Amino acid sequence: MTGVSLECAKAVTTTFGTYCVADFLSNFIQHPTQKMDYGILNSIISRKTNTKIWGTRLEHILGVAATLAITDHGSAALFEQYLGKAISFEATPAAFVAHTFLFIFVGVAAFVAVGAAFNPANAGNRMAAFKEDVYSTYVGTNSAWFEPFVFPVVAKLLGKSVQENWFWSSLLPATLAYSTVKGTGWNDWGNNGLNSLEKELNVCWHQ
């Protein structure tokens, strides 16, 4: 039992790391010329800090990766228990696509629920903030239908140069999915979707 628990913890931790990197990289797709607010880490890159975590890209990177890592492995385990075998896009395509929608929606919804409940900026407006973000989560999740198809399509287009490794089969699909979920769900593209500090940073940057 201990061995299984350690193996599960290692898998969840690896997935958490992958999603952190994917979220960070997706910011360059969505905001290629904009400066981002990484909260407490801003001092490292000589940027002003308004809040250490709440409402920053750092909150999103760590929080969403944590909830998605849990729901990803939890959903996969439930499907495996129901089907009697591990799921994969190749072996169980319908189940794997359903799993993808389920874990993304539940994971992001859990993240926005925590923000609605505890972010000081939502004081006095917590339920409205939760409802708005859950709807955005639903819209964004529907845009991520392509994630399971990324590796097979890229492998077919690029041939033997693409191997089924961490970058091609995990990081690339996750990065593209992060971009579309945030972009379509929250209109987080270019100069849209910026927090107050990011707007300030980018006005100065572009002047």
Side-chain angles (χ1 to χ4, degrees), residues 34-203:
Q34 285 77 23
K35 291 184 176 182
M36 300 285 94
D37 174 15
Y38 292 105
I40 197 172
L41 299 181
N42 283 351
S43 59
I44 299 174
I45 50 179
S46 301
R47 290 181 190 168
K48 176 182 176 182
T49 300
N50 272 0
T51 60
K52 292 182 178 180
I53 187 70
W54 291 116
T56 68
R57 301 285 166 172
L58 181 61
E59 178 204 357
H60 195 277
I61 289 171
L62 297 177
V64 174
T67 55
L68 284 184
I70 294 169
T71 58
D72 188 351
H73 288 276
S75 172
L78 289 175
F79 274 96
E80 181 177 353
Q81 185 176 33
Y82 177 75
L83 296 174
K85 59 181 178 180
I87 61 171
S88 68
F89 186 59
E90 183 177 10
T92 56
F96 195 78
V97 170
H99 152 73
T100 300
F101 277 96
L102 177 64
F103 93 79
I104 292 176
F105 177 78
V106 175
V108 179
F111 167 75
V112 301
V114 171
F118 299 106
N119 187 338
N122 291 324
N125 194 39
R126 298 194 184 281
M127 183 52 68
F130 174 67
K131 290 179 179 178
E132 180 179 351
D133 280 340
V134 165
Y135 177 73
S136 295
T137 299
Y138 170 75
V139 173
T141 300
N142 283 320
S143 74
W145 60 268
F146 67 88
E147 183 180 11
F149 298 88
V150 172
F151 174 72
V153 170
V154 171
K156 188 173 183 63
L157 291 174
L158 300 183
K160 294 182 179 179
S161 62
V162 175
Q163 302 295 321
E164 191 170 355
N165 55 29
W166 174 76
F167 177 82
W168 292 109
S169 62
S170 296
L171 182 61
L172 179 62
T175 301
L176 296 178
Y178 262 99
S179 296
T180 59
V181 171
K182 292 189 293 179
T184 59
W186 284 265
N187 191 29
D188 192 18
W189 302 106
N191 287 321
N192 294 316
L194 305 180
N195 68 21
S196 59
L197 176 58
E198 288 171 340
K199 291 176 181 177
E200 179 184 332
L201 290 172
N202 288 290
V203 166

